[in-house]
Amino acid sequence: MRFTDFIDLASERLGGTVLFANDEFFAPKENLLKPSKPVFIEGKYTSLGKWMDGWETRRRRTPGYDWCIVRLGLAGIPRGAVIDTAHFKGNYPESCSLEACDAAGAAGLEQLEAAEWTPILAPSALRGDSENPFELDAKQRATHVRLKIFPDGGVARLRLYGEVAAALPYTGEIDLAAVENGGWVVSASDMFFGSRQNLIMPGRAVDMSDGWETRRRRGPGHDWVVIQLGAQGVIHGVEVDTSHFKGNYPDRCLLEACDSGGVPCGPILPETKLHAHTRHVFRAEVRDAGPTGYVRFSIFPDGGVSRLRLYGRRSAPAMTESELLACCGSHAWARRIEQGQPYATAEDLLAAADRVWWQLGSEDWLRAFAAHPRIGESTADARAAGEQAGMAKADTETKSRLAAANRAYEERFGHIYIVCASGKSAAEMLSILESRLGNDPDTELRVAAEQQRQITRLRLEKWMRER
């Protein structure tokens, strides 16, 4: 597969921006990410020199190099770059290099200069007036790249192709096919007039060129695309937008779940009539094909579609009993949740976790409580220590009072004090403990059980995010 088949992570249409450059005397840095092909206008000059459609620095008279920093539109793992020196013939750089880092989106120049930059392209020779393609050696998620040119000169365009690294929620409905959610159009039968990736781009199409359009079919058959979803999920809603396609829209469409090779596994939207220049939204017509990570979208017989949206909910990944026990120390709870798999969506898993928990008896609750360290007590359990991060700033008096309250609590109720500690300060946890000492044992057992339920849910969500 060519790396140019991946998404251009630096694309302006995805929010890519050239943030900083050490020099842009002859032509501004913003030109680097323009979506259009570079142009040359004979005889056009500015007060500083020849007008050029790219980024161009002044002639360097001291040792060193020039650079610019790009914030990617979508964080991801870069797989390849195209350094385009179109129309730069006697003024292109001799060579270039690329570095990447993972930083906050709002990071300023000072923070970015202090960031840990990893080389992804060693200094490499450039050709003038050419598209210079380079495969990249990147293994980590990147949010920013730094382009260095040696020693100076002009670059028309920078394209940075790679895999989107999206952090998707496990609850709520999302567009599983959207490029910003990690969707990717793997293959297409034809894309003569428009790229297949346009189907899943953000926003509405601006015109026909901003959609997927096939040539006129003169024989039997139909056109199609295979889409890898950003995450495995269950699709509940489909939007097929034929905006701008008036005399060349498809007559019908079909959406099917499929495997990675595009072999259909079951219909999601049966063959359905389409209309010109229309945003079609289908929900009642959508069939439950179960969790899927790939879909095949077919159009009959040919034509153009501006956008395809596939609304659904993420599937729950399979969990082992030991992974479940790390979320809740009750063996009975872990066994029942494991036996109930698979869960169609993450929300089904979370709902089952709550339901099973409340069906257990007090002995199972107490076993879950016993798996926790005491609040404020040092522990080798990194997960529990992270949940109790609020203890890190506790003063000596608060720690002492908390230890005494813990002892009083255990003497009164016969089990350790359980509280969902995430986001709470030591003073807050102490105040909650002291207030609960006034509960009767039965009431306090259910209060503690509710706190355990909240802890379990947070741990399940964290585990799923890290998958």
Side-chain angles (χ1 to χ4, degrees):
M1 182 177 62
R2 302 170 305 172
F3 67 71
T4 52
D5 286 335
F6 287 109
I7 301 297
D8 180 4
L9 301 173
S11 169
E12 249 188 2
R13 72 194 299 197
L14 298 177
T17 306
V18 187
L19 295 176
F20 308 105
N22 72 309
D23 187 290
E24 47 185 331
F25 186 85
F26 287 113
K29 62 186 183 298
E30 287 78 14
N31 288 340
L32 271 176
L33 303 185
K34 286 166 64 174
S36 57
K37 287 277 190 181
V39 299
F40 184 82
I41 303 177
E42 188 71 42
K44 183 174 180 177
Y45 285 82
T46 72
S47 60
L48 299 176
K50 179 71 181 75
W51 179 90
M52 294 297 289
D53 189 12
W55 167 52
E56 185 180 5
T57 66
R58 71 192 79 201
R59 298 190 187 213
R60 178 172 286 276
R61 302 308 187 193
T62 57
Y65 56 85
D66 292 322
W67 56 266
C68 70
I69 294 176
V70 176
R71 183 182 65 214
L72 303 181
L74 295 174
I77 301 174
R79 296 302 185 200
V82 174
I83 313 294
D84 190 349
T85 58
H87 311 300
F88 288 94
K89 299 178 180 180
N91 51 349
Y92 64 94
E94 184 180 65
S95 61
C96 73
S97 69
L98 282 168
E99 299 168 318
C101 76
D102 189 348
L109 181 57
E110 186 175 339
Q111 294 102 316
L112 289 171
E113 286 181 332
E116 183 178 346
W117 290 90
T118 302
I120 57 175
L121 175 67
S124 302
L126 291 173
R127 292 171 291 116
D129 194 27
S130 303
E131 290 187 352
N132 296 269
F134 300 103
E135 290 191 4
L136 302 179
D137 182 24
K139 298 177 176 62
Q140 304 297 324
R141 176 182 184 268
T143 58
H144 297 72
V145 295
R146 181 162 58 195
L147 170 65
K148 295 179 179 178
I149 56 174
F150 305 91
D152 53 38
V155 175
R157 298 288 187 269
L158 169 65
R159 307 296 185 224
L160 194 79
Y161 299 95
E163 301 173 60
V164 176
L168 303 183
Y170 265 97
T171 56
E173 189 173 79
I174 60 172
D175 180 358
L176 292 165
V179 65
E180 61 268 32
N181 289 334
W184 179 48
V185 186
V186 178
S187 57
S189 60
D190 183 275
M191 49 178 180
F192 189 85
F193 293 110
S195 169
R196 65 185 190 268
Q197 303 298 347
N198 286 341
L199 269 177
I200 59 173
M201 287 293 162
R204 304 292 299 280
V206 296
D207 55 33
M208 284 200 309
S209 70
D210 194 21
W212 168 56
E213 185 183 2
T214 68
R215 73 190 77 203
R216 298 187 187 214
R217 182 171 287 275
R218 300 308 189 191
H222 63 275
D223 290 317
W224 50 265
V225 292
V226 172
I227 301 172
Q228 179 179 325
L229 304 180
Q232 187 171 57
V234 178
I235 296 169
H236 303 123
V238 176
E239 180 180 315
V240 181
D241 189 352
T242 59
S243 293
H244 310 296
F245 292 98
K246 300 176 181 178
N248 50 351
Y249 66 96
D251 182 65
R252 305 174 313 285
C253 73
L254 167 69
L255 182 71
E256 301 165 285
C258 67
D259 62 17
S260 59
V263 177
C265 305
I268 298 172
L269 179 68
E271 198 167 313
T272 302
K273 176 70 177 173
L274 295 176
H275 304 281
H277 191 53
T278 299
R279 195 175 182 181
H280 309 77
V281 178
F282 305 106
R283 284 198 176 267
E285 300 88 344
V286 173
R287 299 177 183 176
D288 184 359
T292 184
Y294 293 83
V295 297
R296 180 184 175 102
F297 177 63
S298 300
I299 57 174
F300 301 89
D302 54 31
V305 176
S306 297
R307 295 289 187 268
L308 176 66
R309 307 296 186 208
L310 304 179
Y311 300 108
R313 298 178 186 274
R314 292 193 66 177
S315 299
M319 299 181 72
T320 64
E321 184 175 347
S322 62
E323 288 168 332
L324 288 162
L325 283 171
C327 298
C328 176
S330 164
H331 284 268
W333 176 87
R335 282 194 298 271
R336 288 180 59 181
I337 295 301
E338 183 185 34
Q339 290 166 1
Q341 296 181 117
Y343 298 97
T345 69
E347 290 172 330
D348 290 340
L349 167 61
L350 295 173
D354 288 351
R355 183 176 62 254
V356 169
W357 175 247
W358 291 118
Q359 290 171 351
L360 297 177
S362 59
E363 290 186 5
D364 294 311
W365 291 354
L366 292 172
R367 289 191 186 96
F369 299 168
H372 292 272
R374 290 181 179 87
I375 295 294
E377 193 175 76
S378 61
T379 175
D381 186 339
R383 177 201 57 221
E387 292 168 348
Q388 295 187 35
M391 289 299 304
K393 297 180 180 179
D395 56 36
T396 302
E397 181 184 355
T398 301
K399 290 179 180 178
S400 177
R401 288 178 59 193
L402 192 52
N406 269 327
R407 288 193 296 272
Y409 183 97
E410 291 179 32
E411 288 173 4
R412 175 163 173 72
F413 300 116
H415 57 81
I416 70 168
Y417 164 56
I418 295 292
V419 66
C420 186
S422 297
K424 293 182 175 66
S425 68
E428 287 176 303
M429 289 185 276
L430 174 59
S431 176
I432 293 169
L433 191 163
E434 290 175 339
S435 70
R436 284 167 52 182
L437 282 170
N439 289 338
D440 63 79
D442 288 341
T443 298
E444 179 54 28
L445 181 62
R446 292 197 69 82
V447 170
E450 168 58 20
Q451 293 298 302
Q452 175 65 61
R453 184 198 68 79
Q454 294 178 26
I455 293 168
T456 301
R457 187 180 184 91
L458 289 176
R459 289 180 176 181
L460 284 170
E461 290 175 345
K462 184 175 186 293
W463 184 88
M464 289 190 289
R465 282 197 305 271
E466 294 173 349
R467 285 284 288 186

